[in-house]
Amino acid sequence: MSIFWLTILILGVTGLLAAVVLYAVAKKFYVYEDPRIAEVEALLPGANCGGCGFKGCHDFAAACAGASSLEGINCPSAGKAGMDAIGILLGLKASARNRRVATLACGGGCDRRRPTSEYSGLRSCAIEAAVYAGPTDCPYGCLGCGDCVKACPHDAMRINAATGLPEVDFSKCVGCGVCVKACPRGLMHLCELHQAHHTVVHVACSNHDRGPGVLKACDVSCIGCGKCMKACESKAISIDRFCARVDASECTRCGKCVEVCPRGSILVDQIAVYQRQS
């Protein structure tokens, strides 16, 4: 037998043996996966934002496929329509959940807070929050570097050039919470969007200090006077360490808190902040 044919034979036998070994290994270590997982995952936006509480869309789909009820399982990026489609696919009822959007708990734009220092390093909220108190006398305010904007997987945020603050586009925001995790000062919050009026009432301040220093640091800082809490008939407002907070689930959007706030710290929605400060 010539060298040529001997080589062909050896390669053929080697390839056949390798195929047999690979087949045996694949059969031995095969892990069954419910085919519905792929079908559920196909209905998801694929953002892998983690807003559902799982590591990604695949883990969320696996949880849905393995659940006997979708109660408490929700993908904010998919929205109600997406969850309804998943429920129909699995023969389960999707749990209803009011839509949530991101809001910024700071209204101190460029013209509201007076700068007292300047940072010349790399522009990053995470870095600035770690090395200094910020460009103004308010150590709670937004740093304006846009870490939240860069982190948003839905292109629902931008920095408003007039105010220097992040701006949320409610039409694109799905309430995934990625911006909440990205903010080192915890200024981004997820609030329920009122289903009838499509608005959010929130306090655009996170300053928990008291005294004249708060008044000097920012023109729209909350001073915890409690006038909004007294005016709220639905008892949706509380004072937490000298700063008001609105419970969106109890708020009726009557607007009385906005009318009585002497500092203009309470806003009807995020867009109003930019219109007002522009």
Side-chain angles (χ1 to χ4, degrees), residues 184-195:
R185 288 191 166 177
L187 298 178
M188 298 303 303
H189 299 281
L190 295 180
C191 297
E192 287 188 9
L193 190 68
H194 195 279
Q195 298 305 298

Side-chain angles (χ1 to χ4, degrees), residues 94-134:
S95 57
R97 183 173 180 177
N98 290 335
R99 182 186 169 198
R100 298 192 299 172
V101 293
T103 58
L104 176 67
C106 176
C110 301
D111 59 338
R112 301 293 184 175
R113 286 186 292 160
R114 289 158 289 281
T116 55
S117 63
E118 185 176 351
Y119 174 78
S120 58
L122 181 66
R123 291 287 290 167
S124 166
C125 295
I127 295 176
E128 291 193 23
V131 298
Y132 89 132

